Amino acid sequence: MDEHGGLLRRHGLRVTRQRERILSAVSALGHATAEEVSAGVAGDGGSPLPPSTIYRALEAMEKAGALRHTHLDHRSPSYQLADHDAHIHLVCTGCGSVAEVPATIADGLVAQIREQRGFEAAFTHMAVQGRCAKCQR
Amino acid sequence: MDEHGGLLRRHGLRVTRQRERILSAVSALGHATAEEVSAGVAGDGGSPLPPSTIYRALEAMEKAGALRHTHLDHRSPSYQLADHDAHIHLVCTGCGSVAEVPATIADGLVAQIREQRGFEAAFTHMAVQGRCAKCQR
DNA sequence: TTGAATGCAAAAAATTTGCATATTG
DNA sequence: CAATATGCAAATTTTTTGCATTCAA
């Protein structure tokens, strides 16, 4: 459960209890905003973390390459572990659920955009809005 | 230049000078955040608009269907005219430029996601991060 | 006239910064 | 020990709300 120390070390970051708790929260939630991380660590038994610690830790871990972020909904950035397989988020506008599909599904489209525009698109971790099967009924 | 009155009327909204100015700014900029709209209307000769007016007008116009929004960068929502052709934004992480490609380019991918997941994806107006041709060099 | 829209001021959220202290490597 | 990270408080920034007034239909 708490072998996030290795992840931190591997990315050249210091291993602190706060960052391990933050990583645990992100890992447990799959993807989380600063606020969700805050709520997450609040529920792990330890004392709550000040916003500055959370914001700075997320930023540092992202810069170091341990985390990535996208915008799933219409607000704050959501962070995930970076070593998670590359994928696309399917965000349902009906129920808010978030499913994932391997990013490779977009390979054809990426190639097409590259040929037509010379633009190298990164479909990794991106969010696509839509309606899930359940909400279409 | 200012026939946005029709657009407002068509969507069941009242035609006010403020909303016309806001629509002009959005239209001129192509896509704009609340802050950019604020700057835009400040530069049109008229008096500046208070934030509440801008936020409420954008929200009302979006709800009425005259505007749409996406998240181009890592912050606020960017609004556009809804009658703009459906398209995908190619946002360059290098220079920040935003290009557009017709949404139909993703038809194949949309079909694939529908078949595999039953998820009806709306690629319309979405943002895709990447590197433009210029920034790849 | 009457409901919708505005303007202003103030409140609430969300994010960032400065700095002294504590901690990791 | 030196560099990093933390905690706390306060400052910014961004967005929302209440309410009296104005305006479009």
Side-chain angles (χ1 to χ4, degrees), chain B residues 14-16 35 51-52 55-56 76-77:
Chain B
R14 292 194 176 176
V15 181
T16 67
E35 233 184 309
S52 53
Y55 280 102
R56 285 197 272 232
S76 323

Side-chain angles (χ1 to χ4, degrees), chain A residues 14-16 34-35 51-52 55-56 75-77:
Chain A
R14 290 192 177 176
V15 181
T16 67
E35 231 183 312
S52 53
Y55 281 102
R56 285 196 274 233
R75 209 163 291 240
S76 323

Side-chain angles (χ1 to χ4, degrees), chain A residues 102-116:
Chain A
T104 50
I105 198 177
D107 285 351
L109 178 55
V110 170
Q112 220 176 327
I113 292 175
R114 182 190 307 119
E115 283 155 29
Q116 288 182 23

Side-chain angles (χ1 to χ4, degrees), chain B residues 41 52 63 75 97 125:
Chain B
V41 298
S52 53
K63 179 150 52 176
R75 208 163 291 238
S97 67
H125 302 285

